[in-house]
Amino acid sequence: MTKAISIRLDEQVLRELEALSKATERSRTFLINEAIKTYMAEYGDYRVALDRLLDKDDELISSSELRSRLGL
Protein backbone atom coordinates (compact mmCIF):
# COMPACT_ATOMS: atom_id res chain seq x y z
CA MET A 1 0.00 0.00 0.00
CA THR A 2 1.29 3.45 -0.83
CA LYS A 3 0.58 6.68 1.00
CA ALA A 4 0.81 10.22 -0.30
CA ILE A 5 3.00 12.81 1.39
CA SER A 6 3.85 16.41 0.60
CA ILE A 7 7.42 17.72 0.42
CA ARG A 8 9.08 21.00 -0.44
CA LEU A 9 12.13 20.97 -2.69
CA ASP A 10 14.58 23.68 -3.62
CA GLU A 11 13.91 24.91 -7.15
CA GLN A 12 17.28 23.60 -8.37
CA VAL A 13 16.62 20.13 -6.93
CA LEU A 14 13.21 20.11 -8.56
CA ARG A 15 14.69 21.10 -11.93
CA GLU A 16 17.26 18.32 -11.65
CA LEU A 17 14.53 15.86 -10.65
CA GLU A 18 12.42 16.88 -13.65
CA ALA A 19 15.39 16.51 -16.00
CA LEU A 20 16.27 13.08 -14.62
CA SER A 21 12.65 12.02 -14.80
CA LYS A 22 12.47 12.92 -18.48
CA ALA A 23 15.87 11.43 -19.31
CA THR A 24 15.08 8.10 -17.63
CA GLU A 25 11.38 8.06 -18.50
CA ARG A 26 10.62 7.44 -14.83
CA SER A 27 8.16 9.32 -12.67
CA ARG A 28 9.31 11.80 -10.06
CA THR A 29 7.59 9.61 -7.48
CA PHE A 30 9.64 6.59 -8.55
CA LEU A 31 12.92 8.54 -8.41
CA ILE A 32 12.16 10.07 -5.02
CA ASN A 33 11.13 6.68 -3.63
CA GLU A 34 14.34 5.05 -4.90
CA ALA A 35 16.46 7.90 -3.55
CA ILE A 36 14.90 7.59 -0.10
CA LYS A 37 15.36 3.79 -0.07
CA THR A 38 19.02 4.18 -1.04
CA TYR A 39 19.61 6.88 1.54
CA MET A 40 18.00 4.84 4.31
CA ALA A 41 20.06 1.72 3.48
CA GLU A 42 23.31 3.69 3.33
CA TYR A 43 22.51 5.66 6.48
CA GLY A 44 21.70 2.42 8.29
CA ASP A 45 25.10 1.00 7.30
CA TYR A 46 26.77 4.24 8.36
CA ARG A 47 25.09 4.16 11.78
CA VAL A 48 26.13 0.54 12.39
CA ALA A 49 29.73 1.34 11.43
CA LEU A 50 29.78 4.48 13.57
CA ASP A 51 28.26 2.70 16.56
CA ARG A 52 30.86 -0.06 16.27
CA LEU A 53 33.67 2.47 15.91
CA LEU A 54 32.55 4.32 19.02
CA ASP A 55 32.03 1.15 21.07
CA LYS A 56 34.93 1.21 23.53
CA ASP A 57 34.37 -2.48 24.37
CA ASP A 58 34.68 -3.61 20.72
CA GLU A 59 38.04 -5.26 20.08
CA LEU A 60 40.15 -3.66 17.35
CA ILE A 61 42.44 -5.90 15.34
CA SER A 62 44.80 -5.29 12.44
CA SER A 63 44.06 -6.49 8.93
CA SER A 64 46.86 -9.07 9.21
CA GLU A 65 45.31 -10.41 12.43
CA LEU A 66 41.93 -10.62 10.71
CA ARG A 67 43.43 -12.57 7.80
CA SER A 68 45.15 -14.87 10.27
CA ARG A 69 41.92 -15.51 12.16
CA LEU A 70 40.14 -16.25 8.89
CA GLY A 71 42.91 -18.59 7.78
CA LEU A 72 43.83 -16.50 4.74
Side-chain angles (χ1 to χ4, degrees):
M1 171 188 264
T2 61
K3 299 267 185 174
I5 64 168
S6 176
I7 63 170
R8 294 182 186 274
L9 298 174
D10 292 336
E11 288 182 24
Q12 180 62 33
V13 173
L14 183 56
R15 282 193 295 273
E16 291 175 18
L17 178 61
E18 287 288 350
L20 184 59
S21 176
K22 288 178 184 176
T24 60
E25 298 181 353
R26 297 286 192 165
S27 70
R28 293 182 305 180
T29 298
F30 174 84
L31 295 173
I32 291 169
N33 198 39
E34 291 300 305
I36 291 171
K37 285 184 205 176
T38 300
Y39 174 83
M40 290 174 58
E42 289 180 4
Y43 185 75
D45 290 345
Y46 161 77
R47 285 302 313 176
V48 167
L50 184 60
D51 290 346
R52 292 183 76 188
L53 179 65
L54 297 175
D55 182 358
K56 294 181 183 359
D57 297 326
D58 196 13
E59 178 187 12
L60 296 177
I61 61 172
S62 67
S63 59
S64 58
E65 174 64 20
L66 176 62
R67 284 192 294 275
S68 174
R69 290 184 186 187
L70 295 173
L72 301 175

